[in-house]
Amino acid sequence: MSFTLATWNINSVRLREPLVLKLLAEHGPDVLCLQECKSPVDKIPVEAFKAAGYTHMVARGQKGYNGVAILSKLPLVDAGDQDFAMLGHARHVAAKLENGATIHNFYVPAGGDKPDREINEKFGQKLDYLSEMRDWFHGDKPEKSILVGDLNIAPREDDVWDHKKLLKIVSHTPVEVEALGAVQDAGNWVDITRQDVPEGKLYSWWSYRAADWDAADKGRRLDHIWATSDIAQAGHSSHIVRDARGWEKPSDHAPVFASFDL
């Protein structure tokens, strides 16, 4: 079975319902994983998505914050969720396709502004969340699985616009990059995007603060698609729909795509 999957931090699924529908109509992924939905599950505009052909959904939500959803043209079943670091946040949901592949959709905490857990509780929560992800994958080795989402870390030097300037900026600090690497190693995850695009600058997020985000191009690759090593070679055709960052009333993230032949 061949299918295309996309991940997108939508920054409010109700506010940006037209953008989701635009992406579905113009790019037609079989599965779309959304983060930061900022909506209870029963308020997600599911009827509009069904009308667009996305008749299946698994989601976890909460009012005003966080929230993750998996929309699909393909049948899937709810495969549970995890509350890492006991935050009580809707930051993870999993679903299983009919071919047996499990999709994990994550929204890792951003971590606040200061990369020091002694003075910034949010940074400590982020590191704890990553540690518990690592431990979970160590204890329950994933197989035939895909992990996607806004992981809020740009791990490589070419995943940010200026490596040296961002070394002390949350999302690219060495301690975060090391923690994400430990999660990746624990689950034998392969970074599909960088398997396909091994060299060069690559971004999925541009700050709202930039007067002209496109011209300044001070981006970071915070959004990821990984697969377990047993199916990593089935992944291909990775790309980022950069244009979506310039749509009307956009999210500050752009959708990331990959296809799989499983």
Side-chain angles (χ1 to χ4, degrees):
M1 184 177 85
S2 297
F3 64 96
T4 298
L5 177 148
T7 180
W8 194 9
N9 178 318
I10 193 59
N11 192 14
S12 178
V13 69
R14 286 186 284 174
L15 179 65
R16 296 189 168 82
E17 174 189 345
L19 299 191
V20 176
L21 293 172
K22 180 178 172 69
L23 186 82
L24 298 180
E26 294 182 2
H27 295 271
D30 297 294
V31 180
L32 174 61
C33 297
L34 299 172
Q35 304 86 39
E36 206 173 350
C37 294
K38 295 182 176 179
S39 174
V41 173
D42 63 357
K43 299 293 186 182
I44 294 173
V46 64
E47 293 305 320
F49 301 147
K50 284 182 178 179
Y54 294 77
T55 53
H56 304 273
M57 182 183 80
V58 298
R60 299 293 185 272
Q62 61 191 106
K63 185 178 180 180
Y65 298 94
N66 309 311
V68 284
I70 302 175
L71 311 178
S72 181
K73 293 179 180 178
L74 308 172
L76 45 73
V77 296
D78 196 314
D81 60 80
Q82 297 291 321
D83 180 21
F84 295 115
M86 295 186 295
L87 297 175
H89 296 173
R91 291 186 176 275
H92 170 254
V93 70
K96 183 168 283 192
L97 297 171
E98 287 186 323
N99 65 1
T102 299
I103 299 170
H104 292 276
N105 183 14
F106 276 97
Y107 177 39
V108 171
D113 293 328
K114 300 290 184 182
D116 182 345
R117 68 183 307 151
E118 299 303 318
I119 62 172
N120 176 12
E121 180 184 22
K122 290 182 178 180
F123 193 71
Q125 290 174 346
K126 182 177 191 175
L127 296 180
D128 292 344
Y129 194 97
L130 293 163
S131 294
E132 293 191 18
M133 283 179 70
R134 176 202 64 202
D135 293 346
W136 187 48
F137 291 134
H138 265 308
D140 187 7
K141 285 287 187 185
E143 297 179 346
K144 199 175 183 180
S145 296
I146 299 166
L147 184 157
V148 309
D150 178 4
L151 305 186
N152 263 311
I153 297 171
R156 293 178 23 152
E157 292 188 15
D158 52 2
D159 288 339
V160 295
W161 67 276
D162 191 312
H163 168 61
K164 290 183 179 179
K165 288 183 179 178
L166 270 68
L167 278 172
K168 295 182 179 180
I169 302 298
V170 173
S171 78
H172 192 61
T173 66
V175 66
E176 292 170 274
V177 171
E178 182 179 358
L180 188 66
V183 172
Q184 190 172 354
D185 291 345
N188 293 321
W189 297 105
V190 175
D191 183 342
I192 297 299
T193 308
R194 280 306 191 179
Q195 176 178 269
D196 279 350
V197 190
E199 303 295 336
K201 298 281 190 181
L202 199 62
Y203 313 138
S204 65
W205 175 89
W206 295 261
S207 174
Y208 285 133
R209 297 173 185 173
D212 187 338
W213 70 273
D214 193 27
D217 205 22
K218 294 183 176 180
R220 307 176 202 173
R221 187 173 71 103
L222 303 180
D223 306 272
H224 300 264
I225 297 177
W226 297 353
T228 46
S229 57
D230 56 338
I231 62 168
Q233 292 308 310
H236 60 89
S237 303
S238 297
H239 61 283
I240 296 172
V241 182
R242 179 187 174 108
D243 289 354
R245 178 61 180 84
W247 291 350
E248 187 175 357
K249 296 182 180 178
S251 169
D252 47 358
H253 293 253
V256 180
F257 278 67
S259 295
F260 292 87
D261 300 328
L262 292 175

